[in-house]
Amino acid sequence: MASSSAASTERQTAFKELELLKIQREKLSKYLRPKHPKIVKLDADIERGQKLMEMYRTQGLQQLAGTRQALKMRTESVVASIKEWEAKVTDANARIAEAERLKQNVNRTQSLYDRLVGLLQNVDISRNIDQATLAILEPASPAERRTRKSCNSSPWRSWAVWHWAWASSR
């Protein structure tokens, strides 16, 4: 940073000196001819100042190109880092979603377990009801045996017998 400010100060000084030389030459060229030694010396100094300014300009362009290249590399590094972190974030989001799904499954299973435990307790309560509190309200009736009707009385059976007899007589 200090070197760039020093270079900037040198450039400004060189530019001011070059402008002063140009102004001085313009004043002297009103009274002196172009081949006069003072004009020739000013022309040489102006040319040297212009070369120095050109050198500063070239140096500035090179520094600008170097800075541009460094920024390009830094940008590429940041982009690569962003892609890497995007992958990590995607992975973390997937893990969080999986953990949330597992947590919901645990809650659902816990709820089912609690419900089943409650039902089991109700069954235990029903089994353990005191037998003395049960009373027979009505005596049992005798069992009736039901029989199926035989196929002999069926109209089809009669028809089959008649048909057999008729067919035999022919």
Side-chain angles (χ1 to χ4, degrees):
M1 196 83 171
S3 65
S4 70
S5 67
S8 176
T9 305
E10 288 176 13
R11 259 182 290 206
Q12 289 175 351
T13 305
F15 181 74
K16 286 179 184 177
E17 287 178 10
L18 181 63
E19 290 302 311
L20 286 175
L21 289 173
K22 286 181 180 179
I23 292 171
Q24 194 175 14
R25 185 188 187 286
E26 189 178 317
K27 285 182 183 178
L28 289 177
S29 65
K30 290 181 185 176
Y31 306 109
L32 301 174
R33 295 183 177 229
K35 299 284 185 186
H36 192 276
K38 286 184 178 181
I39 298 286
V40 171
K41 183 179 184 289
L42 282 175
D43 284 342
D45 289 345
I46 289 172
E47 188 177 330
R48 198 174 325 113
Q50 287 175 337
K51 285 182 181 177
L52 184 62
M53 289 302 294
E54 182 64 26
M55 183 189 71
Y56 283 141
R57 189 180 76 77
T58 304
Q59 187 180 24
L61 290 175
Q62 288 173 350
Q63 285 178 345
L64 185 62
T67 303
R68 190 175 286 150
Q69 183 66 25
L71 287 175
K72 184 178 177 183
M73 289 173 38
R74 188 171 177 194
T75 302
E76 289 170 355
S77 172
V78 168
V79 167
S81 180
I82 287 172
K83 287 181 182 180
E84 177 184 333
W85 279 102
E86 282 177 345
K88 288 180 181 181
V89 166
T90 302
D91 183 50
N93 284 341
R95 287 180 184 208
I96 289 170
E98 178 68 15
E100 191 63 32
R101 186 185 65 77
L102 291 173
K103 185 177 176 183
Q104 289 175 352
N105 283 346
V106 165
N107 289 340
R108 199 176 4 240
T109 305
Q110 183 67 42
S111 173
L112 177 64
Y113 173 77
D114 292 343
R115 198 173 91 228
L116 290 176
V117 165
L119 289 173
L120 184 61
Q121 288 173 349
N122 285 341
V123 168
D124 284 343
I125 289 172
S126 297
R127 280 190 192 166
N128 295 334
I129 291 180
D130 213 1
Q131 295 285 335
T133 59
L134 294 177
I136 298 174
L137 299 175
E138 222 177 90
S141 60
E144 293 180 15
R145 185 171 188 165
R146 294 187 180 174
T147 58
R148 284 179 63 193
K149 293 183 180 180
S150 65
C151 292
N152 295 338
S153 64
S154 161
W156 292 106
R157 176 104 174 141
S158 302
W159 179 82
V161 170
W162 175 83
H163 189 271
W164 180 75
W166 177 77
S168 308
S169 63
R170 283 180 125 210

